[in-house]
Amino acid sequence: MEKKILWIISFALIFILWVKTGPFKSELNDIYQGYLSDPSSSQEELGEATSDEKNYFKSHPIQTETPDFLAITDIQERKKAFFNYLMPFVNEKNSLILKDRDRLSILLNSNKKLSAKNKKWISTLRQNHKLKKLESYTKDDIKALLNRLDIIPVSLVLAQAANESAWGTSRFATQGSNYFGQWCFRKGCGLVPESRNEDADHEVQKFNDARESVFAYIDNLNTNGAYKKLRATRAQLRQNKEIVTGLALVHGLEHYSERGQAYIEEIEGLINYNKLWRFNRTQPKPEAQ
């Protein structure tokens, strides 16, 4: 009888460890937060700026000071300050993306053999976007990269930033410049959530400034396996020569929050209530295809 009890206890312990370290752990993290990378990436790489981005940040220092959003008691004024502060960073990132996208489109439509310089450039881009580096690149390989190398509409970025950072007043925004609730998995890489489970090891990543948070968020949507649906919708809009909007892409965020559809409806409501689609007019125009 005692042996049977010990056997049952041992089996239970093994099962618990398997759930925590096995396939369920990745699945749950992917569903609840959407911050797990593709299989080719390690958790430590999540939210990390690429070497190109780090060089860009150094050569393009931010001149704007972060507003004290909590001190702005008028709600409409706080919203206005919030949008005016973050929008330039979104446009900055989207402009860089469109510049690379335009160059990539030219190479895709060319019948010339890729030069060593362009091949190296494509390899770096693919690595940055969590795609494998290859010895040679076909048209399909370039198209796969092009599907990831695209803008995130200003309206969607602002709506999620407002939701995730409580209009810039959350602890993660004020202490870690994190406006999107992005996670990291190295001890000390960020701020420990007060509501974190005892067996969890994630932190909410710290960034040097809001721009780095915006860049990391857009990179996340463009590379993370959790947002394939969002990217597929965007690619279809491109193919149909339609405008890429936040309202169109928001339905690809079902894995961003454990709240699923309720979260999507909340972000959609923020876009509509605050008429955030009006900011899409200020974002860079996509290249002709």
Side-chain angles (χ1 to χ4, degrees):
M1 184 69 180
E2 290 180 354
K3 288 184 178 180
K4 186 176 182 181
I5 293 173
L6 288 173
W7 183 87
I8 293 173
I9 292 174
S10 299
F11 179 82
L13 288 172
I14 292 171
F15 179 77
I16 291 171
L17 288 172
W18 180 69
V19 169
K20 287 184 177 181
T21 61
F24 287 145
K25 181 175 182 180
S26 293
E27 184 178 348
L28 287 173
N29 279 337
D30 190 47
I31 291 174
Y32 287 161
Q33 287 297 333
Y35 290 121
L36 287 183
S37 62
D38 288 344
S40 59
S41 303
S42 66
Q43 289 181 334
E44 285 75 18
E45 291 175 325
L46 297 181
E48 292 286 344
T50 65
S51 57
D52 288 339
E53 286 177 333
K54 290 177 181 178
N55 291 332
Y56 178 83
F57 295 149
K58 288 181 181 179
S59 61
H60 296 77
I62 295 176
Q63 305 298 329
T64 308
E65 291 187 7
T66 306
D68 184 355
F69 295 112
L70 196 58
I72 306 175
T73 55
D74 184 274
I75 300 301
Q76 294 306 316
E77 287 299 316
R78 181 186 293 175
K79 287 184 176 183
K80 182 178 179 181
F82 185 80
F83 296 148
N84 289 339
Y85 177 60
L86 289 184
M87 186 170 59
F89 302 141
V90 185
N91 283 328
E92 186 177 7
K93 175 63 171 176
N94 281 337
S95 293
L96 292 170
I97 288 174
L98 288 176
K99 183 179 178 181
D100 285 340
R101 185 176 171 84
D102 186 54
R103 178 178 172 184
L104 195 63
S105 296
I106 292 173
L107 294 176
L108 178 63
N109 296 322
S110 174
N111 292 322
K112 296 181 180 179
K113 184 179 179 181
L114 288 175
S115 66
K117 181 180 179 180
N118 283 330
K119 185 178 176 181
K120 182 179 179 181
W121 176 70
I122 290 175
S123 293
T124 301
L125 272 184
R126 283 179 61 90
Q127 187 174 21
N128 290 344
H129 287 79
K130 308 298 184 282
L131 292 170
K132 291 182 180 179
K133 295 171 65 175
L134 303 173
E135 292 296 324
S136 60
Y137 297 107
T138 65
K139 298 285 186 181
D140 287 339
D141 295 327
I142 297 177
K143 286 180 181 178
L145 175 56
L146 201 61
N147 284 343
R148 296 194 176 199
L149 185 67
D150 207 342
I151 65 168
I152 300 298
V154 179
S155 57
L156 185 61
V157 183
L158 294 181
Q160 281 204 268
N163 180 280
E164 297 289 340
S165 73
W167 298 94
T169 66
S170 71
R171 177 169 72 100
F172 302 130
T174 57
Q175 296 181 21
S177 295
N178 190 328
Y179 290 79
F180 303 93
Q182 290 145 293
W183 288 6
C184 58
F185 293 87
R186 287 196 308 268
K187 187 174 182 180
C189 63
L191 302 169
V192 177
E194 295 176 358
S195 59
R196 190 180 74 173
N197 294 332
E198 291 183 4
D199 61 342
D201 59 358
H202 70 277
E203 299 180 13
V204 177
Q205 185 162 352
K206 272 189 174 183
F207 294 98
N208 292 318
D209 51 58
R211 179 176 64 178
E212 289 191 13
S213 180
V214 169
F215 275 45
Y217 156 82
I218 292 177
D219 288 340
N220 183 40
L221 294 192
N222 278 341
T223 62
N224 197 309
Y227 310 118
K228 289 179 181 179
K229 180 179 176 180
L230 182 148
R231 295 193 294 271
T233 299
R234 185 177 59 189
Q236 189 62 53
L237 290 171
R238 288 296 195 198
Q239 186 175 340
N240 297 340
K241 301 188 183 301
E242 297 178 30
I243 298 173
V244 178
T245 68
L247 289 175
L249 300 191
V250 70
H251 300 286
L253 294 175
E254 64 264 37
H255 294 318
Y256 202 94
S257 167
E258 61 182 356
R259 295 171 56 225
Q261 183 59 33
Y263 179 81
I264 290 175
E265 291 174 1
E266 192 168 298
I267 299 301
E268 194 173 25
L270 275 168
I271 293 175
N272 284 321
Y273 182 80
N274 294 282
K275 301 178 181 178
L276 296 183
W277 30 259
R278 72 188 189 274
F279 292 120
N280 288 339
R281 301 169 188 168
T282 67
Q283 70 185 22
K285 294 182 179 179
E287 75 289 349
Q289 295 199 32

